[in-house]
Amino acid sequence: MSAGRRLLRVASLAAALGVWQLLTALDVTLWLRFEQFPTVGEVASALADRLGTDVYWQDLGSSLRRIVVGFLLAAVLGVAAGTAVARSRWAADLLGPLVEVVRPVPAIALVPVAILLLPTTEQGIVFITFTAAFFPVLVSTRHAVAALGPVWEEAVLTMGGGRLRVLFSVVLPGSLPGIFGGLSVGIGVSWICVISAEMISGEYGVGYRTWQDYTVVDYPGVFVGMATIGVLGWLTSTAVEVLGRRVTAWLPRPVARGAAGPVRATGGAASAAPSLRRTPAASPSPAPLGEKEPVS
C-alpha cells in the first residue's frame, strides 16, 4: 500500500474523530441528540485510566480467549463439514437438512440452550462463539468445493491418485479462497455474538464490562468498551486476511492498474494443482471416467 493511501486512511479516521468532538463539544441537537454523548477527550481520558488497571486487561484477555477457542473449533469443524456435504451425498442427506434448519437461528438466541446444556458460563459463551462462526465457514466451504471443476480431479485419478490425494492436492487447495472468505465473515460474526453473550451471561469480558458501565451511567466507559471491541475485531479480521493471503500466495494476483496485461486469478481447480501445470499442452486429454461414486 502506498504512503498516499495510508495517509488518506489516517485522515479519514481523524476527520471522523474531529466531527465527533465538534458535535459533542457544542451539544448539537438537531434530529440526533449529541448533548449526552461524551467527547473524544473524555473517552480518551477514560481509556487512559482503564489501561492502567488489571481489570481492563483481564476483560480483554477473557474475550480474546473465548474468540480464539470458539473460532478455531468453528474453522476446523466448519471446513470438515462443508467439504463432506459438498463431496458426499450421504453427508448432504444427513447434515444438509439439519444445517438449513439451524442456520437461520441467531447464535445469540442460543444463550438459553447453552445455559441449560453446558455446566459453566465460560463454556456457554465459547459455544455461542463457535456457533456464530461455524455456519458461515461451513456454507462458504460447501460452495467453494462444489464450484471446483472436475478436470484436475480426473487428472489425478487418471494418474493413479486416490481420494485422499484428490482431497489434499485438488479440493482443499482449490477451495482455499472461498474458505478464507467464510473465515473472514465468521470472525466478525463471532465478535458480535461473544460480546452479546458476555452482556447477557458473562462474568468477565469486554462485553460484560461495557454493559456494567451502561448500567451505572458511565458513558465514557461505554465508549471505551466500544472502541476496544472495534480494535480487537479489526486486528483479528486483519490477521485472518493476512493468513489467507499467505496461504494462497501461489494464486495469480491482479497487477497494479496501468501495468501491461493484468493477471487474473483463474480460481477453481485450475489453480488448485499448480504441480500439474507442467503437463504439455499438446498431450492428449485424459479419457472421460464417467460418473464417479461420491465419497461416503
Side-chain angles (χ1 to χ4, degrees), residues 238-263:
T238 301
V240 171
E241 292 175 1
V242 169
L243 178 62
R245 287 195 295 268
R246 289 182 179 272
V247 172
T248 60
W250 49 270
L251 284 172
R253 304 289 182 186
V255 298
R257 183 174 298 180
V263 179

Side-chain angles (χ1 to χ4, degrees), residues 35 38 74 81 88 94 120 126 158 176 195 201 224 245 258 279 281 289:
E35 72 273 9
S88 169
L94 182 64
T120 66
V126 171
T158 300
L176 277 177
I195 295 302
S201 60
V224 168
R245 287 195 295 268
T279 303
L289 300 180

